Amino acid sequence: MKHNIDSKGYYGKFGGAYIPEMLYPNVEELRQNYLKIMAEPSFKKEFDQLLKDYVGRPSPLYFAKRLSEKYNTKVYLKREDLNHTGAHKVNNTIGQILMAQRLGKTRIIAETGAGQHGVATATVCALMGMECIVYMGEIDIARQAPNVARMKMLGAEVRPALSGSRTLKDATNEAIRDWINNPIDTHYIIGSVVGPHPYPDMVARFQAIVSEEIKWQLLEKEGTEKPDYVVACVGGGSNAAGAFYHYLEDTDVKLIAVEAAGKGIHSGESAATSVLGREGIIHGSKTLLMQTKDGQITEPYSISAGLDYPGVGPMHAHLYTSGRAEFISITDDDAMIAGLELSKLEGIIPAIETSHSLAIFDKKTFKKEDVVVINLSGRGDKDLQNYIDYFKL
Ligand SMILES: Cc1ncc(COP(=O)(O)O)c(C=O)c1O
């Protein structure tokens, strides 16, 4: 079975482009051009150069000695937290701003949950001198205040989304509305492997640098390109897509996707899409979606703003239903404890999103000789206040 996208924009039965007619010209323009543009030598050269000199790639693959000793297995951390702006999101925004320039666009819009994608978008807009508007749920604006301040300082306008759960889903709705109203000059930089085709594929390709690097870094350290496990947290799924990308068709490498169980999978306050979701359409793509019996989207919940999304990218919906990836759900409490543990054991304060993937060691036992690569998707600076409040530090 094939796990990556087919020529029609589907991962198995998931994906496609289910969009209002008024978005069609924008999405079609992108679909017709994205692969051609990405293959241009001048695009590749500029993308690689910026990833190296501006983002600071390659990000290290770090052997976490004390964490490995504690859980009696070999744990490597892929340090996306060390990227400029503090998370993996910037790999994608660098790619998309170059894409927008080549499509002749002058105005950028984006949605953001944790604010990492918003910051990464505001950053590349400052870099390229482009107008930038970021939509963000009102709740997320409150819980990710440092990132809101950063976006403003970088020259972006942050517009609050006031409907629904006032989180990521609602911010995405506002961004789509804006794009419909501004079809000619605007490019929408989607921040994850979600949205209508070609977004999930385009974002996955920009993030694929993560597994491209893991392969040669692991070869240097372990004499093989293949870990036994690759682990990543999943909101929409972009850091996981990047970490899995070059291993998708290699079933020797086991893939683990970690979702947010919030206050418990069946508590009514959760974002565990694979367990709770059914087939549906959200933001232009057919995927697994948390919804009521009559198809209304269920409001998601997670302590981490970046995992608080009722859907999941179509690649992940397919990885789940095909059984290619194992999905594990982690509660707020378990994630917070794991975040504090990494801070104390390794001197690395992770983003709360990332803390979810670090909590798997209490759910799953690995063999001593297993090589487990965890994608450390982001740093915890933006979450310090949340950690302080939670642990009463
Ligand atoms: C540090 C970090 N990790 C993970 C995520 C989840 O997004 P994705 O599933 O697209 O990687 C976010 C989203 O904001 C994030 O900031």
Side-chain angles (χ1 to χ4, degrees):
M1 182 188 284
K2 189 174 173 330
H3 299 287
N4 212 334
I5 200 159
D6 67 21
S7 58
K8 296 202 171 80
Y10 282 84
Y11 299 86
K13 61 180 172 179
F14 299 108
Y18 299 82
I19 46 172
E21 206 177 316
M22 288 166 80
L23 267 190
Y24 184 77
N26 291 4
V27 172
E28 187 56 14
E29 179 186 35
L30 192 60
R31 189 188 67 79
Q32 283 183 8
N33 289 294
Y34 82 110
L35 289 176
K36 240 186 298 177
I37 291 175
M38 283 177 77
E40 281 167 10
S42 66
F43 181 95
K44 279 192 179 163
K45 189 166 170 228
E46 204 176 346
F47 182 58
D48 291 348
Q49 191 83 51
L50 284 170
L51 287 185
K52 178 166 176 278
D53 297 335
Y54 190 72
V55 174
R57 301 204 71 91
S59 68
L61 183 69
Y62 164 69
F63 176 63
K65 185 162 172 284
R66 296 189 67 208
L67 194 65
S68 300
E69 275 165 9
K70 171 146 192 201
Y71 291 107
N72 203 25
T73 190
K74 280 189 185 171
V75 185
Y76 284 89
L77 303 175
K78 179 61 174 160
R79 300 290 310 273
E80 292 300 293
D81 60 313
L82 293 178
N83 292 342
H84 178 46
T85 71
H88 64 294
K89 297 284 180 184
V90 72
N91 304 323
N92 169 45
T93 60
I94 293 269
Q96 285 206 48
I97 199 90
L98 298 178
M99 183 68 63
Q101 282 180 328
R102 279 154 178 83
L103 292 171
K105 308 292 178 180
T106 53
R107 178 176 176 270
I108 297 295
I109 56 171
E111 85 298 329
T112 197
Q116 285 303 130
H117 173 60
V119 167
T121 303
T123 299
V124 296
C125 287
L127 179 69
M128 299 300 178
M130 290 232 219
E131 185 186 351
C132 180
I133 291 150
V134 180
Y135 291 93
M136 187 167 190
E138 199 182 28
I139 299 272
D140 293 339
I141 288 180
R143 61 180 163 174
Q144 300 289 331
N147 273 346
V148 176
R150 287 162 85 197
M151 284 184 265
K152 289 186 178 161
M153 194 160 171
L154 291 160
E157 184 191 337
V158 180
R159 291 194 186 160
L162 305 172
S163 61
S165 57
R166 290 170 291 147
T167 60
L168 181 57
K169 154 179 79 65
D170 314 288
T172 308
N173 289 339
E174 294 297 332
I176 290 175
R177 229 167 269 148
D178 181 314
W179 208 21
I180 289 174
N181 291 326
N182 298 283
I184 307 293
D185 62 343
T186 299
H187 175 71
Y188 177 14
I189 300 193
I190 294 186
S192 192
V193 285
V194 299
H197 178 63
Y199 276 102
D201 185 44
M202 178 172 69
V203 176
R205 285 170 189 262
F206 288 141
Q207 291 292 358
I209 184 73
V210 175
S211 47
E212 194 183 309
E213 288 174 4
I214 293 172
K215 283 176 80 174
W216 64 258
Q217 288 172 321
L218 207 59
L219 185 62
E220 274 179 17
K221 290 175 199 298
E222 290 285 336
T224 168
E225 292 184 340
K226 297 183 193 184
D228 295 288
Y229 293 88
V230 182
V231 184
C233 64
V234 175
S238 68
N239 87 86
F244 294 170
Y245 197 87
H246 290 285
Y247 298 116
L248 281 173
E249 313 299 345
D250 188 345
T251 47
D252 291 351
V253 180
K254 297 177 208 70
L255 309 176
I256 300 181
V258 184
E259 290 184 319
K263 295 187 176 161
I265 293 180
H266 300 292
S267 64
E269 291 183 87
S270 163
T273 310
S274 68
V275 188
L276 300 173
R278 283 183 295 118
E279 203 175 306
I281 289 170
I282 184 169
H283 300 138
S285 147
K286 187 192 284 181
T287 188
L288 289 174
L289 173 62
M290 288 164 47
Q291 52 188 302
T292 61
K293 266 199 228 104
D294 48 359
Q296 294 299 312
I297 293 169
T298 311
E299 299 298 350
Y301 163 81
S302 163
I303 196 170
S304 66
L307 303 186
D308 195 351
Y309 187 67
V312 68
M315 174 198 280
H316 299 288
H318 183 52
L319 291 176
Y320 176 73
T321 48
S322 67
R324 172 69 185 95
E326 179 181 359
F327 279 63
I328 296 179
S329 310
I330 297 293
T331 61
D332 288 354
D333 290 338
D334 289 347
M336 295 304 273
I337 291 164
L340 188 61
E341 180 183 80
L342 187 77
S343 309
K344 299 213 156 144
L345 275 181
E346 295 289 347
I348 299 170
I349 302 175
I352 296 179
E353 289 77 16
T354 317
S355 296
H356 285 72
S357 49
L358 294 156
I360 59 156
F361 294 109
D362 285 330
K363 305 271 171 227
K364 194 174 168 73
T365 309
F366 298 95
K367 289 195 229 114
K368 191 173 171 37
E369 64 279 12
D370 280 343
V371 172
V372 181
V373 174
I374 298 188
N375 197 22
L376 209 78
S377 58
R379 70 176 86 129
D381 305 30
K382 70 183 176 60
D383 295 315
L384 273 192
Q385 196 58 49
N386 292 322
Y387 281 122
I388 288 167
D389 293 345
Y390 185 89
F391 291 109
K392 304 197 176 16
L393 297 171

